[in-house]
Amino acid sequence: MIKRLLFTIKYDGSAYHGWQVQKNALTVQEAFQDAVEKVFGSRLDVIGCSRTDSSVHAEMYCVSLDTDMNITPDGAVLALNTYLPSDIAAMECKEVPLDFHPRYSCKSKQYVYKIYNGKIRNPFLNKYAYHYRYNIDTERLNREAQAFLGTHDYSGFCSVKSDVENTVRTVYSASLKREGDLVLFTVEADGFLYNMVRIMAGTLLFINEGKIKDGELADIINSKDRTRAGKTAPPHGLYLNKVNY
């Protein structure tokens, strides 16, 4: 009998060109499929909850596959971790209904963008946080970030490479907090456009630098004009933090 298994994994995206399989580049999906093939005896289709860019990380990423193998969820986790590379780990597994889809059954996703706000770069964070040496006023930017809340057309916060037709998204929460020299921008929404979180983070940094005036963010969102928003922050500071079903 066919059953659908849903795996929760974590990965360090530094060595990978995102999630989705590509012809000439190593991806997380390919590495995961390699381990699946060794455990399940064939190269099963694996479906991920989201596309992630090169160098983007995941604290929680969900992957499903269908199998008729008689294996327990705990057994599948242990077996996969035997073959997965050290920068990818299967954390949990559970059986889900056959009509469950990791992407389309998702109610919301939460991303965290990490900024190392020290004057001198930290070599141990080079691949895991964006080094930004100008002092960040987190209270000020936290107030400004509230303009992201609600349902908006975010076409101005989307890469020009995107071919998505519907650019309306609902943002449930957006906040910044400081933990020592780390500043964390956390945002949750019903979905995200290509590079949307990185553009949000870059726009807040433009506000921090005075390149965008305080109180102007709502108007920029409504303008749907990419040239009015800030830069696209680098990918290595971005983490898919939580997926809600």
Side-chain angles (χ1 to χ4, degrees), residues 150-174:
T151 302
H152 306 285
D153 184 336
Y154 274 100
S155 51
F157 286 75
C158 179
S159 169
V160 292
K161 296 179 182 178
S162 176
D163 56 0
V164 175
E165 292 183 7
N166 182 13
T167 51
V168 174
R169 297 292 184 272
T170 300
V171 176
Y172 302 122
S173 63

Side-chain angles (χ1 to χ4, degrees), residues 64-81:
S64 73
L65 59 83
D66 293 350
T67 181
D68 59 1
M69 180 182 284
N70 185 20
I71 187 171
T72 65
D74 287 345
V77 168
L78 291 172
L80 275 178
N81 282 329

Side-chain angles (χ1 to χ4, degrees), residues 79-151:
L80 275 178
N81 282 329
T82 301
Y83 297 107
L84 284 169
S86 60
D87 48 10
I88 304 174
M91 308 304 295
E92 295 178 344
C93 175
K94 64 181 180 180
E95 188 172 346
V96 293
L98 290 175
D99 62 354
F100 179 92
H101 192 287
R103 185 175 178 186
Y104 301 122
S105 299
C106 175
K107 294 179 179 177
S108 70
K109 293 173 187 162
Q110 183 189 79
Y111 280 89
V112 174
Y113 194 88
K114 297 185 180 182
I115 302 167
Y116 179 65
N117 195 212
K119 290 185 178 180
I120 300 172
R121 61 186 173 82
N122 182 337
F124 296 105
L125 293 177
N126 276 346
K127 298 177 181 178
Y128 307 108
Y130 171 42
H131 179 222
Y132 180 87
R133 60 189 178 88
Y134 305 105
N135 183 60
I136 295 175
D137 185 340
T138 51
E139 290 188 9
R140 173 187 166 205
L141 294 192
N142 191 54
R143 289 194 300 271
E144 293 297 310
Q146 303 315 299
F148 288 128
L149 301 187
T151 302

Side-chain angles (χ1 to χ4, degrees), residues 38 54 177 181:
K38 291 174 181 176
S54 298
K177 69 175 181 178
D181 283 334

Side-chain angles (χ1 to χ4, degrees), residues 193-240:
L193 303 173
Y194 184 48
N195 285 348
M196 180 172 160
V197 179
R198 290 166 56 193
I199 296 169
M200 285 174 150
T203 301
L204 289 172
L205 293 179
F206 267 29
I207 293 173
N208 189 70
E209 297 167 25
K211 294 177 180 177
I212 293 175
K213 295 179 182 178
D214 288 25
E216 197 175 352
L217 184 51
D219 187 51
I220 291 173
I221 295 169
N222 291 332
S223 76
K224 297 178 280 189
D225 183 353
R226 175 67 188 92
T227 65
R228 290 189 60 190
K231 64 182 179 181
T232 304
H236 62 277
L238 185 61
Y239 295 72
L240 176 56

